[in-house]
């Protein structure tokens, strides 16, 4: 992972995690760059392997629960399936993982989602290949690399994740995803029309549109927001439904994973009689604390770093970048620094009555 100068694209600071995180007490703790739709498929496979079911075309239109503390109380969602009536599905708990506009969160807190929206516009483009396109290209006898993504690695020696520091043309690229800053207030069509100009301006080699293939392009607004609580009775919140941060540094999906991992341990604890329901209150408290002390400050700093008004002097003012520089020749320091990000996790099993 590295931060680069906007003109020369030379590395300002960076690190090679394989040096220090490939084997930490037998665990490989390196960050993994993965295309989102592949990650979705992987997760779907895992859920099904353990007997979980995922229903598509089923929209939650309402959420409710019995009075708090009622013995045998239940929670429910009202579900509208394609072409069907609204039906109620009941369970011991409902966990809202329904993204930034979560209806589950709204059912608990209305429009209350404290935090702020950045006065900045970002555009996310994917330059990876969809399966149908791959087949089509294979049929035409063309190779993946010629036709799909811009060859950052082979041609320019770029690494897996590259952050370009610039007040307007900041961007991140990890081979398939290029996300960059844009002028706020334009229409979707205007952003799409400006994309070739932006790539030509920003990317190494200043490519013209016939040198790469865009699979999709989406303008996004960035937010820093956290719900007041992640638990109200039998209803819980996790991931983007519970909190949002800007995407610089990958703390969005990471924050979601650690919520869900922690909540899993809490629910298993209750199921196996190792923990009381009060562990869910702890889930809310500790996950909010981690958002406030780790995810929110680090992700804000990540965005300020890439969008710095004066990229050329950023290094002199940036303690983190300076530490990375020292870490180039000091593995112990680099390992400590990178393991610091693991602080985002919280082990709820330490609160089990029986371990
Ligand atoms: C431009 C951009 C770049 C990003 N890059 C990164 C990155 O590099 N690394 C990283 O870690 N994170 C990144 N993120 C953040 C990451 O995408 C999110 O944090 C993550 O997708 C959140 O997962 P989620 O499951 O909580 O929500 P979502 O991915 O939004 O999924 C919510 C799901 O709930 C479904 N749903 C919604 N409402 C209902 C309803 N009423 N009924 C039924 N289903 C419903 C939706 O269809 C969707 O499938 C990025 C975000 C943006 C915007």
């Amino acid at each position: 992972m590295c931060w680069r100068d906007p003109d020369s694209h030379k590395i300002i600071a960076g690190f090679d995690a394989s040096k220090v995180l490939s084997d930490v007490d037998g665990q490989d703790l390196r960050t993994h760059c993965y295309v989102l739709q592949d990650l979705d498929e992987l997760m779907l496979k895992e859920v099904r392997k353990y007997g979980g079911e995922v229903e598509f075309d089923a929209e939650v239109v309402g959420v409710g629960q019995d009075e708090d503390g009622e013995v045998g109380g239940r929670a429910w969602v009202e579900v509208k399936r394609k072409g069907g009536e609204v039906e109620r599905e009941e369970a011991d708990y409902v966990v809202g993982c329904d993204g930034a506009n979560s209806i589950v969160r709204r059912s608990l807190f209305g429009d209350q989602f404290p935090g702020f929206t950045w006065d900045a516009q970002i555009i996310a483009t994917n330059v990876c290949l969809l399966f149908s396109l791959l087949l089509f290209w294979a049929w035409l006898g063309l190779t993946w690399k010629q036709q799909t993504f811009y060859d950052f690695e082979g041609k320019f020696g770029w690494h897996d994740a590259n952050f370009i520091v610039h007040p307007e043309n900041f961007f991140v690229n990890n081979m398939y995803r290029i996300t960059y800053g844009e002028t706020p207030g334009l229409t979707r069509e205007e952003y799409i029309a400006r994309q070739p100009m932006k790539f030509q301006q920003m990317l190494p080699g200043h490519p013209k549109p016939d040198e790469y293939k865009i699979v999709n392009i989406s303008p996004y607004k960035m937010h820093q927001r956290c719900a007041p609580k992640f638990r109200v009775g039998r209803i819980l919140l996790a991931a983007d439904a519970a909190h949002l941060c800007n995407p610089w540094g990958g703390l969005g999906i990471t924050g979601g994973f650690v919520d869900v991992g922690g909540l899993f341990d809490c629910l298993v604890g209750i199921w196996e009689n190792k923990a009381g329901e009060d562990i869910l209150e702890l889930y809310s408290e500790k996950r909010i604390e981690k958002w406030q002390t780790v995810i929110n400050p680090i992700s804000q700093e990540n965005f300020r770093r890439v969008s710095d008004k004066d990229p050329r002097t950023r290094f002199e003012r940036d303690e983190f970048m300076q530490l990375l520089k020292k870490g180039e020749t000091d593995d112990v320091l680099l390992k400590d620094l990178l393991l610091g990000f693991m602080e985002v996790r919280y082990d709820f099993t330490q609160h089990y009555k029986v371990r």
Side-chain angles (χ1 to χ4, degrees):
M1 189 178 278
C2 62
W3 286 261
R4 290 177 183 270
D5 178 90
D7 302 321
S8 66
H9 290 147
K10 281 201 180 124
I11 293 177
I12 304 170
F15 60 88
D16 176 1
S18 63
K19 282 208 299 180
V20 291
L21 296 187
S22 300
D23 184 359
V24 181
D25 303 327
Q27 280 190 298
D28 186 347
L29 296 181
R30 285 173 297 167
T31 299
H32 197 87
C33 293
Y34 215 37
V35 182
L36 205 51
Q37 58 264 33
D38 293 351
L39 177 66
D40 286 346
E41 231 178 278
L42 179 75
M43 290 196 291
L44 189 60
K45 234 192 248 169
E46 286 295 306
V47 165
R48 286 180 172 154
K49 200 160 86 186
Y50 293 98
E53 283 175 41
V54 176
E55 211 182 318
F56 293 95
D57 292 324
E59 187 190 357
V60 171
V61 292
V63 190
Q65 61 180 319
D66 289 325
E67 288 292 311
D68 200 17
E70 193 172 316
V71 178
R74 303 282 274 171
W76 58 83
V77 287
E78 286 156 5
V79 184
K80 187 157 173 37
R81 296 186 172 81
K82 221 174 182 178
E85 297 288 302
V86 173
E87 289 172 293
R88 183 190 273 207
E89 300 281 356
E90 284 189 5
D92 292 328
Y93 302 101
V94 165
V95 183
C97 302
D98 48 342
N101 293 313
S102 169
I103 186 170
V104 180
R105 187 190 64 244
R106 284 175 200 278
S107 80
L108 301 175
F109 304 113
D111 286 338
Q112 217 190 327
F113 198 12
F116 69 92
T117 299
W118 293 89
D119 181 22
Q121 179 69 51
I122 55 169
I123 313 291
T125 59
N126 273 357
V127 287
C128 76
L129 198 59
L130 295 175
F131 192 55
S132 55
L133 284 175
L134 177 64
L135 289 179
F136 178 61
W137 273 309
W139 176 68
L140 285 176
L142 302 174
T143 65
W144 156 283
K145 215 151 196 177
Q146 279 163 349
Q147 287 301 312
T148 57
F149 57 84
Y150 195 55
D151 193 8
F152 288 101
E153 191 180 13
K155 217 167 157 184
F156 302 104
W158 278 31
H159 302 305
D160 286 347
N162 302 273
F163 298 91
I164 309 308
V165 183
H166 191 275
E168 288 153 28
N169 288 335
F170 49 84
F171 73 95
V172 56
N173 119 282
N174 27 26
M175 303 312 289
Y176 305 106
R177 160 70 57 102
I178 300 169
T179 301
Y180 58 91
E182 255 289 12
T183 311
L186 306 182
T187 64
R188 182 183 163 78
E189 289 67 34
E190 284 168 324
Y191 288 129
I192 292 172
R194 285 165 56 88
Q195 173 272 315
M197 175 274 289
K198 293 288 283 190
F199 271 26
Q200 198 165 342
Q201 208 173 67
M202 297 179 310
L203 300 187
H206 308 288
K208 303 224 164 45
D210 61 352
E211 292 175 71
Y212 53 83
K213 191 90 196 165
I214 296 272
V215 177
N216 47 45
I217 174 164
S218 318
Y220 283 101
K221 277 283 175 202
M222 302 186 298
H223 313 268
Q224 304 289 138
R225 294 183 184 277
C226 185
K229 290 195 79 182
F230 295 177
R231 180 217 181 186
V232 176
R234 296 179 170 276
I235 301 179
L236 298 126
L237 296 173
D240 273 22
H243 47 76
L244 296 175
C245 67
N246 74 76
W248 266 262
L251 283 166
I253 217 156
T254 310
F257 273 126
V258 285
D259 281 357
V260 172
L263 184 53
F264 173 86
D265 286 339
C266 294
L267 292 172
V268 166
I270 295 170
W271 179 254
E272 294 181 348
N273 223 0
K274 292 175 181 164
E277 280 201 85
D278 52 351
I279 201 168
L280 298 176
E281 207 48 36
L282 207 60
Y283 161 76
S284 173
E285 198 183 294
K286 293 295 175 190
R287 289 310 325 157
I288 289 177
E289 192 181 297
K290 290 291 181 186
W291 187 85
Q292 285 168 343
T293 57
V294 183
I295 296 177
N296 189 33
I298 292 183
S299 63
Q300 285 205 37
E301 194 52 27
N302 283 343
F303 180 58
R304 294 207 172 91
R305 178 171 295 116
V306 293
S307 59
D308 198 283
K309 295 274 170 283
D310 187 3
R312 273 143 214 98
T313 62
R314 176 74 204 196
F315 182 84
E316 293 151 33
R317 292 175 280 118
D318 195 317
E319 200 186 333
F320 174 65
M321 282 180 157
Q322 289 165 17
L323 282 171
L324 287 180
K325 197 84 199 154
K326 282 193 195 141
E328 283 175 11
T329 51
D330 184 343
D331 285 358
V332 176
L333 172 74
L334 184 63
K335 188 172 177 180
D336 271 2
L337 197 61
L338 299 184
L339 283 178
F341 293 116
M342 301 294 162
E343 276 298 304
V344 74
R345 301 183 299 185
Y346 186 85
D347 178 11
F348 288 94
T349 66
Q350 66 185 293
H351 301 287
Y352 283 3
K353 286 180 276 190
V354 191
R355 295 195 82 193

